[in-house]
Every structure is written in C-alpha cells, then in structure tokens.
Amino acid sequence: MISRTDVAFPDFSSPSIMTRSLRTGLYEELLTATLEEEISELKDEGWWIDIGKADNAARSELLARHVYRHLRRKLEGIDASEQLSLANRLLEMLRGGGAAGEGRISDAEGLLLEVVRPGPLSGEPSRTPRPIRSLRQTGLLVNGGRDTQIASEVSREIPSADRIDLLCAFVRHSGLRLFQSELAERVKAGAVLRVITSVYTGSTERRALDALVELGARVKVSYEVARTRLHAKAWLFHRHSGLRTA
C-alpha cells in the first residue's frame, strides 16, 4: 500500500536545513509568495529549480488541497463554536449569492449516520453494522494481534454496501465461509456481488465458486495462466451515499 503525505523528508546535505522548507526532491506544490521567495534565494545559490504548469484537470484539486491544509490548521486551533462560524462564513463567500441556507452547517458536532426507507413492517429498524474505522478516513490494516483484523472489518463493511466487487487470485471455501452469511444477506436485500478470480496456482475451489453462484454472485474466472497471472486481492465496497471503501 502506498500512502501519500505532505511530510517533506530533510536533505541533510543542505546547510540551511533548520530554516528552509525546500529539500532536494520532487514536488507538486502551488507557488505561494513565501515559496517564490525561497526559490529565488535558492536560485541565487546555484540550485536548479524546475517550474511547470498545472493542467486544467489538476488545478482545482491542487487549489482545494492547498486551502484545505491551511483551513484545517486554523480549525484545529479554535473551539467548536468558532469552527462553525468560520466554516459558515467561508461557505457564504463561496456561495456568492446563492440560496441562503444552501450548504450552511447547523451543528458542528452532529453527524447523519444512516437513512432507512420505510418497509412493510412497522417499528424502528435495527441499526446497520458499521466498520470500526470511519467511512471518511483512510487507514492501513496489518492484522496485528492487537489491531483491527481484516476479516472482521470486511464483515462489517458488507452489510452497508450496495455493490460489492471482489478481485481475488483464488477463492477457497475456508476463506469464503468467513463472509458467506453476510454476503448472502446483502445479496438477498438487493446488493450486487461481482467476483473475478482465476485458476492461478490451482488453488481456486469449485465448491467455493458454486457457493458464490448459489447466493447470487456474478462470477468470472480467468483461465489464462501462460501470459497473465492474476495475483490481486481486493474488496471494493460501493455505496449509494458515495462513501466507498477499498
């Protein structure tokens, strides 16, 4: 797994390591006044600086991420009421004369957690199981003894997914049984389950594939092993809410 961060690792060959932010390496940073000043100083010292242009597709993302970093730093230093006030002032500026209530945050601490369509039976529905990790946070699962286990987290992702895609080099009954009941219930409720697997290493079991088909999965098997060897293992959980998990 590759994790992209904004952390710059120091270049210990630089004599100005304690005062400068720029180090030897690759960047994709917008030019700010502070950055341009530092670049000018480095050029005077003989450093080679490569300046390019952000293409149209990436510009809005770069600008949004730049503003996000500064806004988050500011929000982390003030209390909840000030956070709410600042966020709404910014939204009002961005709205530029739109509807008065559009996008305005009414409660900085309130979170919508679930919406359920009314069914034929009366009464309050039970809450859908939620993953241990937030649906809006990225994390790395390593299956350590004291860490969140991958199998249990996958089981908790399934009940809220509207489509489930599994790309796996081989499918075995011992692995499928860990999630079989959750998958069956979700497919019965209308979710789509798609599986791509292969006969690579000869490990895929026929009874596991039959079990997937019986519970309603769409299964494709690659028999190409001479030129292509599929060794991926990936779960993709799609939700109508837009909160997807990989």
Side-chain angles (χ1 to χ4, degrees):
M1 175 181 179
I2 295 177
S3 176
R4 308 285 189 193
T5 71
D6 294 325
V7 177
F9 293 94
D11 173 14
F12 292 101
S13 64
S14 170
S16 307
I17 185 174
M18 302 303 293
T19 58
R20 284 179 174 157
S21 63
L22 290 177
R23 310 287 185 260
T24 298
L26 298 177
Y27 291 86
E28 285 185 13
E29 291 292 329
L30 291 172
L31 294 177
T32 64
T34 302
L35 198 56
E36 286 186 321
E37 183 178 343
E38 186 169 344
I39 288 172
S40 178
E41 293 176 0
L42 292 175
K43 283 184 174 180
D44 290 341
E45 295 176 13
W47 288 53
W48 183 77
I49 310 291
D50 186 17
I51 305 294
K53 285 189 175 182
D55 58 45
N56 293 334
R59 190 180 302 116
S60 59
E61 179 73 14
L62 287 168
L63 287 167
R65 285 184 178 275
H66 180 76
V67 173
Y68 163 78
R69 287 199 297 268
H70 287 269
L71 177 59
R72 179 172 178 175
R73 191 180 304 132
K74 175 65 176 179
L75 291 173
E76 287 175 345
I78 57 181
D79 62 32
S81 62
E82 291 177 306
Q83 289 175 341
L84 181 62
S85 176
L86 174 58
N88 279 329
R89 289 204 308 273
L90 287 173
L91 288 169
E92 186 175 350
M93 291 173 60
L94 293 172
R95 194 165 56 243
E102 183 183 354
R104 183 175 179 80
I105 305 166
S106 58
D107 183 353
E109 298 179 348
L111 285 177
L112 173 64
L113 295 178
E114 186 172 3
V115 175
V116 179
R117 183 191 298 273
L121 301 178
S122 59
E124 184 176 344
S126 59
R127 287 186 171 89
T128 302
R130 301 180 69 89
I132 299 293
R133 292 177 176 270
S134 167
L135 291 171
R136 287 195 177 274
Q137 290 181 337
T138 298
L140 176 65
L141 302 179
V142 297
N143 257 12
R146 298 182 179 180
D147 299 318
T148 303
Q149 299 297 295
I150 294 175
S152 62
E153 193 71 338
V154 167
S155 295
R156 296 179 70 88
E157 292 275 356
I158 292 171
S160 58
D162 297 298
R163 192 181 87 213
I164 302 168
D165 294 334
L166 172 60
L167 178 63
C168 199
F170 36 82
V171 179
R172 298 179 64 85
H173 189 265
S174 59
L176 176 61
R177 64 181 177 82
L178 297 175
F179 322 105
Q180 191 165 352
S181 61
E182 288 88 351
L183 290 172
E185 289 179 11
R186 199 67 201 120
V187 172
K188 186 178 180 180
V192 175
L193 172 60
R194 306 188 302 177
V195 179
I196 295 178
T197 187
S198 75
V199 294
Y200 179 46
T201 74
S203 298
T204 293
E205 294 180 336
R206 171 67 182 269
R207 64 172 180 159
L209 298 180
D210 289 342
L212 283 169
V213 172
E214 286 176 9
L215 62 84
R218 304 174 187 174
V219 180
K220 289 188 176 182
V221 181
S222 171
Y223 294 95
E224 171 57 63
V225 294
R227 294 174 299 174
T228 303
R229 295 177 179 178
L230 173 71
H231 203 243
K233 304 173 186 67
W235 290 91
L236 303 175
F237 300 98
H238 307 263
R239 298 179 178 90
H240 294 325
S241 65
L243 295 172
R244 303 179 179 92
T245 305

mmCIF file of all heavy atoms in Angstrom, residues 119-157:
data_model
loop_
_atom_site.group_PDB
_atom_site.id
_atom_site.type_symbol
_atom_site.label_atom_id
_atom_site.label_comp_id
_atom_site.label_asym_id
_atom_site.label_seq_id
_atom_site.Cartn_x
_atom_site.Cartn_y
_atom_site.Cartn_z
ATOM 1 N N GLY A 119 -40.352 0.170 5.523
ATOM 2 C CA GLY A 119 -40.722 -1.127 4.961
ATOM 3 C C GLY A 119 -42.150 -1.496 5.321
ATOM 4 O O GLY A 119 -42.871 -0.725 5.954
ATOM 5 N N PRO A 120 -42.568 -2.703 4.916
ATOM 6 C CA PRO A 120 -43.938 -3.140 5.185
ATOM 7 C C PRO A 120 -44.206 -3.367 6.667
ATOM 8 O O PRO A 120 -45.347 -3.304 7.117
ATOM 9 C CB PRO A 120 -44.055 -4.447 4.403
ATOM 10 C CG PRO A 120 -42.639 -4.932 4.264
ATOM 11 C CD PRO A 120 -41.806 -3.697 4.151
ATOM 12 N N LEU A 121 -43.167 -3.653 7.443
ATOM 13 C CA LEU A 121 -43.344 -3.898 8.872
ATOM 14 C C LEU A 121 -43.139 -2.605 9.645
ATOM 15 O O LEU A 121 -42.238 -1.826 9.350
ATOM 16 C CB LEU A 121 -42.358 -4.956 9.362
ATOM 17 C CG LEU A 121 -42.449 -6.323 8.679
ATOM 18 C CD1 LEU A 121 -41.375 -7.258 9.232
ATOM 19 C CD2 LEU A 121 -43.835 -6.930 8.901
ATOM 20 N N SER A 122 -43.988 -2.380 10.633
ATOM 21 C CA SER A 122 -43.868 -1.172 11.442
ATOM 22 C C SER A 122 -42.794 -1.374 12.501
ATOM 23 O O SER A 122 -42.321 -2.473 12.751
ATOM 24 C CB SER A 122 -45.205 -0.847 12.110
ATOM 25 O OG SER A 122 -45.616 -1.928 12.936
ATOM 26 N N GLY A 123 -42.418 -0.301 13.151
ATOM 27 C CA GLY A 123 -41.411 -0.390 14.194
ATOM 28 C C GLY A 123 -40.082 0.180 13.732
ATOM 29 O O GLY A 123 -39.832 0.372 12.551
ATOM 30 N N GLU A 124 -39.235 0.444 14.704
ATOM 31 C CA GLU A 124 -37.926 1.033 14.405
ATOM 32 C C GLU A 124 -36.968 -0.036 13.893
ATOM 33 O O GLU A 124 -36.791 -1.079 14.533
ATOM 34 C CB GLU A 124 -37.356 1.681 15.663
ATOM 35 C CG GLU A 124 -36.039 2.400 15.434
ATOM 36 C CD GLU A 124 -35.540 3.105 16.677
ATOM 37 O OE1 GLU A 124 -36.348 3.284 17.610
ATOM 38 O OE2 GLU A 124 -34.349 3.463 16.715
ATOM 39 N N PRO A 125 -36.321 0.170 12.748
ATOM 40 C CA PRO A 125 -35.382 -0.827 12.216
ATOM 41 C C PRO A 125 -34.119 -0.885 13.070
ATOM 42 O O PRO A 125 -33.769 0.077 13.753
ATOM 43 C CB PRO A 125 -35.071 -0.311 10.807
ATOM 44 C CG PRO A 125 -35.273 1.163 10.898
ATOM 45 C CD PRO A 125 -36.405 1.364 11.875
ATOM 46 N N SER A 126 -33.455 -2.008 13.032
ATOM 47 C CA SER A 126 -32.193 -2.131 13.759
ATOM 48 C C SER A 126 -31.095 -1.409 12.993
ATOM 49 O O SER A 126 -31.144 -1.297 11.769
ATOM 50 C CB SER A 126 -31.827 -3.607 13.937
ATOM 51 O OG SER A 126 -31.719 -4.239 12.675
ATOM 52 N N ARG A 127 -30.124 -0.933 13.706
ATOM 53 C CA ARG A 127 -29.031 -0.204 13.074
ATOM 54 C C ARG A 127 -28.157 -1.150 12.259
ATOM 55 O O ARG A 127 -27.875 -2.265 12.670
ATOM 56 C CB ARG A 127 -28.179 0.500 14.128
ATOM 57 C CG ARG A 127 -28.845 1.716 14.754
ATOM 58 C CD ARG A 127 -27.849 2.429 15.670
ATOM 59 N NE ARG A 127 -28.383 3.712 16.127
ATOM 60 C CZ ARG A 127 -29.120 3.867 17.218
ATOM 61 N NH1 ARG A 127 -29.413 2.801 17.949
ATOM 62 N NH2 ARG A 127 -29.562 5.055 17.574
ATOM 63 N N THR A 128 -27.726 -0.667 11.101
ATOM 64 C CA THR A 128 -26.823 -1.449 10.262
ATOM 65 C C THR A 128 -25.439 -1.451 10.894
ATOM 66 O O THR A 128 -24.958 -0.401 11.316
ATOM 67 C CB THR A 128 -26.733 -0.837 8.851
ATOM 68 O OG1 THR A 128 -28.038 -0.777 8.278
ATOM 69 C CG2 THR A 128 -25.829 -1.666 7.954
ATOM 70 N N PRO A 129 -24.769 -2.605 10.961
ATOM 71 C CA PRO A 129 -23.399 -2.624 11.495
ATOM 72 C C PRO A 129 -22.500 -1.673 10.724
ATOM 73 O O PRO A 129 -22.609 -1.547 9.508
ATOM 74 C CB PRO A 129 -22.974 -4.090 11.287
ATOM 75 C CG PRO A 129 -24.247 -4.853 11.235
ATOM 76 C CD PRO A 129 -25.249 -3.943 10.584
ATOM 77 N N ARG A 130 -21.627 -1.006 11.451
ATOM 78 C CA ARG A 130 -20.703 -0.051 10.837
ATOM 79 C C ARG A 130 -19.268 -0.563 10.978
ATOM 80 O O ARG A 130 -18.937 -1.232 11.951
ATOM 81 C CB ARG A 130 -20.810 1.328 11.510
ATOM 82 C CG ARG A 130 -22.186 1.945 11.459
ATOM 83 C CD ARG A 130 -22.182 3.293 12.159
ATOM 84 N NE ARG A 130 -21.414 4.298 11.430
ATOM 85 C CZ ARG A 130 -21.933 5.081 10.483
ATOM 86 N NH1 ARG A 130 -23.206 4.972 10.155
ATOM 87 N NH2 ARG A 130 -21.186 5.975 9.876
ATOM 88 N N PRO A 131 -18.413 -0.240 10.014
ATOM 89 C CA PRO A 131 -16.994 -0.591 10.160
ATOM 90 C C PRO A 131 -16.403 0.064 11.401
ATOM 91 O O PRO A 131 -16.888 1.102 11.868
ATOM 92 C CB PRO A 131 -16.354 -0.033 8.884
ATOM 93 C CG PRO A 131 -17.482 0.102 7.912
ATOM 94 C CD PRO A 131 -18.687 0.429 8.728
ATOM 95 N N ILE A 132 -15.352 -0.543 11.935
ATOM 96 C CA ILE A 132 -14.673 0.040 13.089
ATOM 97 C C ILE A 132 -14.094 1.394 12.720
ATOM 98 O O ILE A 132 -14.212 2.366 13.457
ATOM 99 C CB ILE A 132 -13.546 -0.889 13.590
ATOM 100 C CG1 ILE A 132 -14.124 -2.252 14.020
ATOM 101 C CG2 ILE A 132 -12.779 -0.242 14.738
ATOM 102 C CD1 ILE A 132 -15.002 -2.222 15.209
ATOM 103 N N ARG A 133 -13.454 1.450 11.539
ATOM 104 C CA ARG A 133 -12.849 2.697 11.091
ATOM 105 C C ARG A 133 -13.888 3.593 10.432
ATOM 106 O O ARG A 133 -14.816 3.112 9.805
ATOM 107 C CB ARG A 133 -11.703 2.412 10.107
ATOM 108 C CG ARG A 133 -10.509 1.727 10.752
ATOM 109 C CD ARG A 133 -9.437 1.396 9.746
ATOM 110 N NE ARG A 133 -8.269 0.826 10.394
ATOM 111 C CZ ARG A 133 -7.247 1.539 10.847
ATOM 112 N NH1 ARG A 133 -7.255 2.848 10.698
ATOM 113 N NH2 ARG A 133 -6.216 0.956 11.435
ATOM 114 N N SER A 134 -13.706 4.896 10.586
ATOM 115 C CA SER A 134 -14.625 5.856 9.991
ATOM 116 C C SER A 134 -14.703 5.673 8.481
ATOM 117 O O SER A 134 -13.709 5.377 7.816
ATOM 118 C CB SER A 134 -14.155 7.277 10.315
ATOM 119 O OG SER A 134 -14.834 8.230 9.528
ATOM 120 N N LEU A 135 -15.897 5.868 7.926
ATOM 121 C CA LEU A 135 -16.094 5.765 6.482
ATOM 122 C C LEU A 135 -15.420 6.898 5.721
ATOM 123 O O LEU A 135 -15.341 6.863 4.496
ATOM 124 C CB LEU A 135 -17.590 5.750 6.167
ATOM 125 C CG LEU A 135 -18.356 4.501 6.605
ATOM 126 C CD1 LEU A 135 -19.853 4.713 6.434
ATOM 127 C CD2 LEU A 135 -17.901 3.288 5.820
ATOM 128 N N ARG A 136 -14.932 7.898 6.426
ATOM 129 C CA ARG A 136 -14.279 9.031 5.767
ATOM 130 C C ARG A 136 -12.776 9.090 6.048
ATOM 131 O O ARG A 136 -12.121 10.054 5.689
ATOM 132 C CB ARG A 136 -14.926 10.349 6.215
ATOM 133 C CG ARG A 136 -16.307 10.566 5.626
ATOM 134 C CD ARG A 136 -16.753 12.010 5.777
ATOM 135 N NE ARG A 136 -18.040 12.255 5.154
ATOM 136 C CZ ARG A 136 -18.211 12.554 3.874
ATOM 137 N NH1 ARG A 136 -17.157 12.632 3.089
ATOM 138 N NH2 ARG A 136 -19.404 12.772 3.379
ATOM 139 N N GLN A 137 -12.235 8.065 6.685
ATOM 140 C CA GLN A 137 -10.815 8.076 6.996
ATOM 141 C C GLN A 137 -10.100 6.912 6.332
ATOM 142 O O GLN A 137 -10.635 5.806 6.264
ATOM 143 C CB GLN A 137 -10.589 8.016 8.511
ATOM 144 C CG GLN A 137 -10.999 9.288 9.234
ATOM 145 C CD GLN A 137 -10.733 9.214 10.722
ATOM 146 O OE1 GLN A 137 -10.644 8.140 11.291
ATOM 147 N NE2 GLN A 137 -10.624 10.375 11.353
ATOM 148 N N THR A 138 -8.895 7.165 5.854
ATOM 149 C CA THR A 138 -8.072 6.132 5.251
ATOM 150 C C THR A 138 -7.148 5.545 6.309
ATOM 151 O O THR A 138 -6.599 6.280 7.135
ATOM 152 C CB THR A 138 -7.229 6.722 4.107
ATOM 153 O OG1 THR A 138 -8.110 7.212 3.100
ATOM 154 C CG2 THR A 138 -6.306 5.679 3.491
ATOM 155 N N GLY A 139 -6.984 4.236 6.298
ATOM 156 C CA GLY A 139 -6.105 3.597 7.268
ATOM 157 C C GLY A 139 -5.463 2.364 6.676
ATOM 158 O O GLY A 139 -5.809 1.919 5.582
ATOM 159 N N LEU A 140 -4.510 1.811 7.394
ATOM 160 C CA LEU A 140 -3.804 0.610 6.962
ATOM 161 C C LEU A 140 -4.052 -0.499 7.972
ATOM 162 O O LEU A 140 -3.774 -0.336 9.161
ATOM 163 C CB LEU A 140 -2.293 0.887 6.846
ATOM 164 C CG LEU A 140 -1.414 -0.303 6.488
ATOM 165 C CD1 LEU A 140 -1.735 -0.810 5.088
ATOM 166 C CD2 LEU A 140 0.060 0.090 6.577
ATOM 167 N N LEU A 141 -4.603 -1.626 7.513
ATOM 168 C CA LEU A 141 -4.836 -2.788 8.362
ATOM 169 C C LEU A 141 -3.689 -3.766 8.181
ATOM 170 O O LEU A 141 -3.359 -4.138 7.059
ATOM 171 C CB LEU A 141 -6.161 -3.465 8.001
ATOM 172 C CG LEU A 141 -7.419 -2.594 8.089
ATOM 173 C CD1 LEU A 141 -8.652 -3.385 7.691
ATOM 174 C CD2 LEU A 141 -7.593 -2.037 9.487
ATOM 175 N N VAL A 142 -3.079 -4.195 9.284
ATOM 176 C CA VAL A 142 -1.911 -5.075 9.201
ATOM 177 C C VAL A 142 -2.133 -6.424 9.882
ATOM 178 O O VAL A 142 -1.244 -7.267 9.919
ATOM 179 C CB VAL A 142 -0.666 -4.392 9.812
ATOM 180 C CG1 VAL A 142 -0.309 -3.147 9.025
ATOM 181 C CG2 VAL A 142 -0.904 -4.033 11.274
ATOM 182 N N ASN A 143 -3.344 -6.641 10.431
ATOM 183 C CA ASN A 143 -3.675 -7.918 11.079
ATOM 184 C C ASN A 143 -2.793 -8.217 12.286
ATOM 185 O O ASN A 143 -2.526 -9.377 12.597
ATOM 186 C CB ASN A 143 -3.593 -9.085 10.080
ATOM 187 C CG ASN A 143 -4.967 -9.529 9.623
ATOM 188 O OD1 ASN A 143 -5.956 -8.840 9.869
ATOM 189 N ND2 ASN A 143 -5.038 -10.653 8.960
ATOM 190 N N GLY A 144 -2.335 -7.187 12.955
ATOM 191 C CA GLY A 144 -1.563 -7.403 14.179
ATOM 192 C C GLY A 144 -2.449 -7.939 15.284
ATOM 193 O O GLY A 144 -3.678 -7.790 15.264
ATOM 194 N N GLY A 145 -1.845 -8.574 16.273
ATOM 195 C CA GLY A 145 -2.605 -9.199 17.348
ATOM 196 C C GLY A 145 -3.522 -8.246 18.082
ATOM 197 O O GLY A 145 -4.598 -8.635 18.526
ATOM 198 N N ARG A 146 -3.112 -6.992 18.239
ATOM 199 C CA ARG A 146 -3.913 -6.013 18.973
ATOM 200 C C ARG A 146 -4.603 -5.017 18.042
ATOM 201 O O ARG A 146 -5.192 -4.049 18.502
ATOM 202 C CB ARG A 146 -3.024 -5.243 19.954
ATOM 203 C CG ARG A 146 -2.384 -6.127 21.013
ATOM 204 C CD ARG A 146 -1.555 -5.308 21.987
ATOM 205 N NE ARG A 146 -0.959 -6.140 23.018
ATOM 206 C CZ ARG A 146 -0.189 -5.673 24.003
ATOM 207 N NH1 ARG A 146 0.075 -4.373 24.062
ATOM 208 N NH2 ARG A 146 0.332 -6.488 24.899
ATOM 209 N N ASP A 147 -4.514 -5.249 16.726
ATOM 210 C CA ASP A 147 -5.089 -4.325 15.749
ATOM 211 C C ASP A 147 -6.422 -4.845 15.217
ATOM 212 O O ASP A 147 -6.791 -6.000 15.428
ATOM 213 C CB ASP A 147 -4.128 -4.132 14.570
ATOM 214 C CG ASP A 147 -2.800 -3.546 15.000
ATOM 215 O OD1 ASP A 147 -2.819 -2.625 15.838
ATOM 216 O OD2 ASP A 147 -1.756 -4.018 14.519
ATOM 217 N N THR A 148 -7.131 -3.955 14.505
ATOM 218 C CA THR A 148 -8.356 -4.354 13.823
ATOM 219 C C THR A 148 -8.025 -5.413 12.782
ATOM 220 O O THR A 148 -7.122 -5.229 11.975
ATOM 221 C CB THR A 148 -9.006 -3.141 13.137
ATOM 222 O OG1 THR A 148 -9.266 -2.127 14.110
ATOM 223 C CG2 THR A 148 -10.311 -3.535 12.463
ATOM 224 N N GLN A 149 -8.762 -6.528 12.801
ATOM 225 C CA GLN A 149 -8.489 -7.623 11.879
ATOM 226 C C GLN A 149 -9.187 -7.391 10.535
ATOM 227 O O GLN A 149 -10.319 -6.885 10.480
ATOM 228 C CB GLN A 149 -8.964 -8.948 12.480
ATOM 229 C CG GLN A 149 -8.266 -9.310 13.784
ATOM 230 C CD GLN A 149 -6.778 -9.522 13.609
ATOM 231 O OE1 GLN A 149 -6.345 -10.445 12.925
ATOM 232 N NE2 GLN A 149 -5.976 -8.656 14.223
ATOM 233 N N ILE A 150 -8.516 -7.748 9.463
ATOM 234 C CA ILE A 150 -9.061 -7.517 8.127
ATOM 235 C C ILE A 150 -10.379 -8.265 7.942
ATOM 236 O O ILE A 150 -11.359 -7.722 7.424
ATOM 237 C CB ILE A 150 -8.048 -7.943 7.056
ATOM 238 C CG1 ILE A 150 -6.820 -7.021 7.108
ATOM 239 C CG2 ILE A 150 -8.668 -7.892 5.660
ATOM 240 C CD1 ILE A 150 -5.701 -7.400 6.174
ATOM 241 N N ALA A 151 -10.428 -9.527 8.360
ATOM 242 C CA ALA A 151 -11.638 -10.330 8.160
ATOM 243 C C ALA A 151 -12.842 -9.720 8.874
ATOM 244 O O ALA A 151 -13.944 -9.623 8.307
ATOM 245 C CB ALA A 151 -11.404 -11.757 8.650
ATOM 246 N N SER A 152 -12.650 -9.294 10.109
ATOM 247 C CA SER A 152 -13.777 -8.715 10.855
ATOM 248 C C SER A 152 -14.201 -7.382 10.265
ATOM 249 O O SER A 152 -15.394 -7.049 10.233
ATOM 250 C CB SER A 152 -13.405 -8.543 12.329
ATOM 251 O OG SER A 152 -12.317 -7.646 12.478
ATOM 252 N N GLU A 153 -13.239 -6.609 9.762
ATOM 253 C CA GLU A 153 -13.583 -5.316 9.168
ATOM 254 C C GLU A 153 -14.316 -5.506 7.845
ATOM 255 O O GLU A 153 -15.276 -4.772 7.546
ATOM 256 C CB GLU A 153 -12.318 -4.470 8.968
ATOM 257 C CG GLU A 153 -12.590 -3.014 8.651
ATOM 258 C CD GLU A 153 -13.143 -2.213 9.822
ATOM 259 O OE1 GLU A 153 -13.709 -2.805 10.770
ATOM 260 O OE2 GLU A 153 -13.034 -0.982 9.781
ATOM 261 N N VAL A 154 -13.906 -6.496 7.036
ATOM 262 C CA VAL A 154 -14.630 -6.801 5.796
ATOM 263 C C VAL A 154 -16.068 -7.203 6.120
ATOM 264 O O VAL A 154 -17.022 -6.783 5.451
ATOM 265 C CB VAL A 154 -13.912 -7.921 5.010
ATOM 266 C CG1 VAL A 154 -14.810 -8.456 3.894
ATOM 267 C CG2 VAL A 154 -12.615 -7.393 4.402
ATOM 268 N N SER A 155 -16.240 -8.015 7.157
ATOM 269 C CA SER A 155 -17.592 -8.447 7.552
ATOM 270 C C SER A 155 -18.468 -7.267 7.936
ATOM 271 O O SER A 155 -19.685 -7.295 7.725
ATOM 272 C CB SER A 155 -17.504 -9.425 8.734
ATOM 273 O OG SER A 155 -16.848 -10.607 8.358
ATOM 274 N N ARG A 156 -17.874 -6.225 8.493
ATOM 275 C CA ARG A 156 -18.636 -5.049 8.912
ATOM 276 C C ARG A 156 -18.853 -4.059 7.771
ATOM 277 O O ARG A 156 -19.702 -3.172 7.873
ATOM 278 C CB ARG A 156 -17.930 -4.356 10.084
ATOM 279 C CG ARG A 156 -17.846 -5.211 11.338
ATOM 280 C CD ARG A 156 -17.113 -4.495 12.451
ATOM 281 N NE ARG A 156 -17.902 -3.383 12.962
ATOM 282 C CZ ARG A 156 -18.795 -3.474 13.940
ATOM 283 N NH1 ARG A 156 -19.025 -4.659 14.511
ATOM 284 N NH2 ARG A 156 -19.474 -2.435 14.351
ATOM 285 N N GLU A 157 -18.089 -4.191 6.685
ATOM 286 C CA GLU A 157 -18.294 -3.350 5.507
ATOM 287 C C GLU A 157 -19.456 -3.860 4.657
ATOM 288 O O GLU A 157 -20.165 -3.093 4.021
ATOM 289 C CB GLU A 157 -17.021 -3.326 4.645
ATOM 290 C CG GLU A 157 -15.827 -2.620 5.271
ATOM 291 C CD GLU A 157 -15.837 -1.117 5.053
ATOM 292 O OE1 GLU A 157 -16.739 -0.632 4.338
ATOM 293 O OE2 GLU A 157 -14.958 -0.447 5.605
#
